[in-house]
Amino acid sequence: MNTDTRIALFDNLEWIDHLPEAALLVDAGRDLILAANGAMGRLIGTDRKSISGKPCTQLFTDQRPQLIAFTEETLFRSQGWSRDFFLQHRDGHTVELEISSSRVGEAESQNLLLLLRDRRQLRTLRERHDANHYHRGGLLEWRRVEELFKDMERENQLILHAVGEGIYGVDAEGRTTFANPAAERMLGWRIDELMGRVIHRVVHHSHEDGSIFPLKECPIYAAFRDGSVKRVGEDWFWRKDGSGFPVEYTSTPILDNGHPVGAVVVFRDISSRLEARKELQEALKEVESLKHRLEMENAYLQEELSAEYHFHEIFGQSDAIKAIVRRIGMVAPTDANVLITGESGTGKELIARAIHQSSSRRDRPLIRVNCAAIPKDLFESEFFGHIKGAFTGAVSDRVGRFELADGGTLFLDEVGEIPLELQGKLLRVLQDQQFERVGENRTRGVDVRVIAATNRDLKAEVQQKSFREDLYFRLNVFPIESVPLRRRLEDIPILAQEFLNRACQKFNRPTLVLREKDVETLKAYHWPGNVRELENVIERQVITADGRLDLDLLGQDTAALTPSVPTPPTRHFDGDLLTEEELRELEKRNLVRALRISGGRVFGDDGAAALLGVKPTTLTSRLKKLKIEPRHYQAGA
């Protein structure tokens, strides 16, 4: 058909009315019936003009997926044939159809001509579908291929009936040539219902989710197109009743004189396997859940077992530690103020943190204030905050420690260092939970629990009038003594091993083990720096260890175990002039001596600044300039 003839054909669609069979001209791309002839109208008992211009899918309302698959096949092959469709006659009876289809127009055209026949009128014409095969491939060729499949079926009849897998054959057009009883049972179709039908449109037309499975993408047909075996591990077949089931299958091409003429498909229902896999996955999830639950329960039991010895980083098994843990357990649930007393390095801050973490305030912050490190003139600002311009250097508003700790806990370390003139303001906050920022008239309310700690004898200082008695009693609602290490020697092995493990990990060193000799050496030492000194000693041992610990010098020369600033040779002033360097060295020696006497404290009545008769801020500036660290001279450092 030349171009002019084709244009004329689509300009005048009356030619379709001269066809002897019911016919539809359809634009598949737009799902639109372009024309219908009178025979089509008579087939369903209506006027042909009422059919034209309507969607084709509207005519086949209940068979939309099959129609889409059929039209796709026709566009792909340029022709098609099916006995799967039906229409409703105007009087209500169902018209079972046989449809032949072909593409008309250009090669890229999506216009299809459908010829529809009433299957009841065709039953008197035996093997009418063979005529369609003759139309497309030749009657003799079809019969030769059919005989080939029949011979295969006869030769393998016993196998086909005995195996549990479904087996069916298809020719090169995808039409069913045979099926075994297992296939009939699984698919719900009888062999005579499947014979000659394109089986993809019967059992394989859609994916599991109902989406269309185009025939050209079907692996079964790819087998005889390229002559290779196709194995599919998980797919979906549909039964006659509309239900589906998962399958795995193999499509093996059948060759005749070296040319593929079809395929044999062996499939298996894998519902049980998938269900078992699902059950296994659920069981594994349950096992994982139980495992996690057991791990949590085990961790809880371990925590319960070790609570006596490892309570919030408080290690030990001595009676002193047990007593501390019991007192923490008593006071933690309350909001009572706590005063922790004890020597430096005994772990007073650990006790404070344990109280906080065991209280109802654990989700709010624990704010620590080192009272010994705050210059006297900045105490009020540190505690209560200030507003912009309150004093020289106050360039912006600042929130104080009490405000930061609102809803939580304020830990006042070295509380004995608070200047006497500021103790009254601290007492007011403890009593009223109210304060004012420096330079501000507004009163602010807070909800703060106070835990204080000191290494000084506050009771003696109360008698000496250097610490307010009312503040002492306000802080000392619930006293806890942090026992020095020399009074709980049985805890030394536990603490030393814990510090040893941490240090080895911290410094990336091989794991070291405490020997009985090492433990005895550690117990024999008097530990003036307490737990902090023990930790420092262990860390230095790990750094310097050559495969094992060497604690022989412990107690003989403590200076060998503590860092210090080298002392220059002493030179007394004899009236001669000193150089600038000599003056600097003389000043340095004097400052170091003051720090040693004060135990590394700069502030306070017995601090290095008071001994030297200078302001703490002035001394701090000098120490920084000379690169002297006061903490190197603290007890246990």
Side-chain angles (χ1 to χ4, degrees):
M1 182 182 294
N2 60 38
T3 302
D4 294 338
T5 305
R6 190 177 296 112
I7 293 174
L9 176 65
F10 285 99
D11 286 342
N12 181 7
L13 298 177
E14 292 182 358
W15 57 269
I16 198 171
D17 202 37
H18 298 290
L19 295 176
E21 296 178 310
L24 293 174
L25 184 62
V26 178
D27 184 340
R30 293 188 297 161
D31 185 24
L32 182 65
I33 298 175
L34 300 176
N37 64 0
M40 180 65 206
R42 290 190 295 274
L43 183 66
I44 59 175
T46 187
D47 183 4
R48 67 184 182 87
K49 292 183 179 179
S50 65
I51 302 173
S52 300
K54 290 186 176 181
C56 189
T57 53
Q58 183 176 321
L59 196 62
F60 297 90
T61 306
D62 298 328
Q63 296 180 286
R64 182 185 179 92
Q66 294 94 323
L67 182 64
I68 294 174
F70 180 66
T71 54
E72 279 194 351
E73 178 189 3
T74 303
L75 291 172
F76 180 68
R77 297 179 180 277
S78 296
Q79 52 192 338
W81 180 86
S82 174
R83 301 179 67 194
D84 299 335
F85 292 94
F86 59 85
L87 290 174
Q88 294 297 321
H89 194 275
R90 188 174 184 180
D91 63 11
H93 78 269
T94 300
V95 181
E96 296 181 359
L97 299 173
E98 175 184 281
I99 301 178
S100 297
S101 61
S102 59
R103 188 207 299 264
V104 295
E106 298 287 349
E108 300 300 322
S109 170
Q110 292 190 317
N111 293 323
L112 304 178
L113 177 62
L114 306 182
L115 300 179
L116 300 85
R117 308 171 190 90
D118 188 340
R119 285 171 55 189
R120 289 180 299 178
Q121 298 176 5
L122 296 176
R123 284 174 185 157
T124 57
L125 302 176
R126 297 185 58 188
E127 302 192 26
R128 179 58 185 253
H129 61 284
D130 285 348
N132 187 60
H133 278 274
Y134 173 75
H135 172 71
R136 288 189 285 162
L139 180 60
L140 293 177
E141 177 65 18
W142 158 247
R143 285 182 173 172
R144 191 179 65 79
V145 173
E146 184 183 36
E147 287 300 321
L148 174 66
F149 277 98
K150 285 181 178 179
D151 289 342
M152 289 175 55
E153 185 178 8
R154 281 193 296 269
E155 292 173 5
N156 299 282
Q157 194 67 31
L158 289 176
I159 297 175
L160 291 173
H161 281 74
V163 297
E165 287 85 358
I167 303 175
Y168 65 82
V170 293
D171 64 11
E173 299 296 329
R175 304 185 188 284
T176 310
T177 57
F178 70 87
N180 73 340
E184 291 181 294
R185 286 194 306 272
M186 282 189 273
L187 297 174
W189 293 90
R190 298 191 314 274
I191 181 59
D192 60 313
E193 295 176 310
L194 292 174
M195 284 294 294
R197 300 180 67 176
V198 177
I199 199 165
H200 180 84
R201 293 205 299 267
V202 178
V203 302
H204 204 202
H205 51 78
S206 304
H207 294 288
E208 180 181 359
D209 60 3
S211 59
I212 299 300
F213 196 153
L215 183 144
K216 60 184 178 182
E217 298 176 6
C218 178
I220 295 172
Y221 299 100
F224 52 74
R225 285 179 190 147
D226 59 20
S228 62
V229 176
K230 305 296 180 183
R231 293 180 176 87
V232 177
E234 190 171 326
D235 209 332
W236 195 262
F237 280 1
W238 296 94
R239 301 185 182 94
K240 183 178 181 180
D241 61 8
S243 63
F245 61 101
V247 296
E248 66 176 12
Y249 63 83
T250 301
S251 179
T252 304
I254 302 301
L255 304 178
D256 181 32
N257 295 325
H259 299 286
V261 294
V264 172
V265 179
V266 180
F267 67 94
R268 180 183 294 109
D269 185 343
I270 59 173
S271 301
S272 299
R273 183 202 303 171
L274 295 184
E275 185 64 28
R277 185 172 70 185
K278 181 180 178 182
E279 291 177 356
L280 177 60
Q281 290 172 344
E282 291 176 353
L284 290 174
K285 288 181 181 178
E286 182 67 19
V287 169
E288 190 65 28
S289 176
L290 289 173
K291 177 184 175 184
H292 179 68
R293 179 179 169 184
L294 288 172
E295 288 174 350
M296 296 293 290
E297 290 178 354
N298 182 60
Y300 173 77
L301 290 174
Q302 290 295 329
E303 184 177 345
E304 288 291 300
L305 291 171
S306 63
E308 187 175 17
Y309 311 111
H310 185 187
F311 183 79
H312 293 285
E313 296 296 323
I314 300 176
F315 291 88
Q317 58 185 358
S318 63
D319 291 340
I321 286 296
K322 293 176 183 178
I324 290 174
V325 170
R326 282 195 298 270
R327 292 185 68 77
I328 290 173
M330 286 188 286
V331 76
T334 73
D335 281 336
N337 294 333
V338 179
L339 179 62
I340 306 170
T341 58
E343 299 176 8
S344 294
T346 54
K348 295 187 289 295
E349 184 175 350
L350 290 181
I351 296 175
R353 291 189 179 278
I355 294 171
H356 174 74
Q357 290 298 327
S358 302
S359 72
S360 59
R361 297 172 179 265
R362 69 180 66 90
D363 295 328
R364 296 294 297 157
L366 170 69
I367 303 299
R368 177 181 179 272
V369 183
N370 184 3
C371 300
I374 303 176
K376 181 178 179 180
D377 51 353
L378 293 180
F379 258 100
E380 192 171 2
S381 174
E382 285 289 328
F383 274 39
F384 312 123
H386 62 252
I387 63 171
K388 181 179 179 180
F391 51 83
T392 303
V395 295
S396 62
D397 291 355
R398 178 178 180 180
V399 177
R401 303 299 178 91
F402 268 94
E403 204 168 343
L404 287 174
D406 188 21
T409 304
L410 185 67
F411 175 49
L412 301 178
D413 197 11
E414 301 298 343
V415 69
E417 302 292 341
I418 298 177
L420 186 62
E421 59 271 24
L422 293 177
Q423 292 176 15
K425 292 186 177 182
L426 175 59
L427 178 63
R428 181 204 165 188
V429 180
L430 296 180
Q431 290 174 336
D432 304 334
Q433 297 281 293
Q434 292 181 338
F435 69 94
E436 292 89 28
R437 289 182 181 177
V438 177
E440 185 180 49
N441 294 326
R442 173 188 169 190
T443 300
R444 299 171 183 268
V446 288
D447 174 21
V448 174
R449 179 189 194 169
V450 173
I451 300 176
T454 183
N455 60 0
R456 294 161 63 166
D457 186 354
L458 291 186
K459 188 179 291 186
E461 294 194 8
V462 167
Q463 294 176 352
Q464 297 170 7
K465 305 298 182 181
S466 60
F467 199 86
R468 289 184 62 126
E469 184 178 30
D470 47 4
L471 177 58
Y472 171 74
F473 287 119
R474 178 64 65 176
L475 293 173
N476 195 33
V477 175
F478 193 91
I480 296 179
E481 182 187 5
S482 183
V483 181
L485 190 56
R486 61 182 173 275
R487 285 170 49 191
R488 53 186 186 107
L489 296 178
E490 58 267 46
D491 293 337
I492 287 179
I494 295 175
L495 290 167
Q497 188 61 58
E498 176 64 21
F499 293 149
L500 188 60
N501 294 340
R502 292 183 185 180
C504 290
Q505 184 175 7
K506 177 181 178 181
F507 300 121
N508 196 25
R509 296 297 175 88
T511 302
L512 297 174
V513 180
L514 280 175
R515 299 166 299 177
E516 185 176 350
K517 175 186 175 182
D518 298 328
V519 173
E520 293 303 319
T521 302
L522 293 174
K523 284 186 175 182
Y525 184 56
H526 61 286
W527 298 110
N530 292 294
V531 178
R532 184 184 298 120
E533 183 182 5
L534 174 61
E535 184 175 14
N536 292 344
V537 167
I538 295 298
E539 286 194 355
R540 284 192 292 273
Q541 285 290 307
V542 170
I543 293 172
T544 59
D546 185 15
R548 65 176 184 172
L549 301 178
D550 183 9
L551 297 170
D552 293 338
L553 294 178
L554 189 63
Q556 298 178 18
D557 184 8
T558 56
L561 298 173
T562 56
S564 62
V565 177
T567 303
T570 303
R571 176 179 176 182
H572 297 287
F573 184 66
D574 56 4
D576 294 332
L577 291 176
L578 299 177
T579 66
E580 184 69 23
E581 181 64 24
E582 291 172 333
L583 282 172
R584 189 179 299 109
E585 290 298 329
L586 184 62
E587 180 186 18
K588 190 171 184 180
R589 290 198 303 272
N590 194 49
L591 296 180
V592 167
R593 185 178 180 186
L595 288 172
R596 284 177 174 164
I597 295 173
S598 65
R601 289 193 300 275
V602 175
F603 300 88
D605 294 338
D606 57 350
L611 294 176
L612 294 171
V614 297
K615 291 183 178 180
T617 52
T618 302
L619 178 57
T620 300
S621 177
R622 290 180 184 176
L623 294 173
K624 184 176 181 181
K625 182 178 180 181
L626 293 172
K627 298 181 180 179
I628 300 174
E629 289 289 343
R631 59 188 176 86
H632 289 163
Y633 304 94
Q634 293 177 357

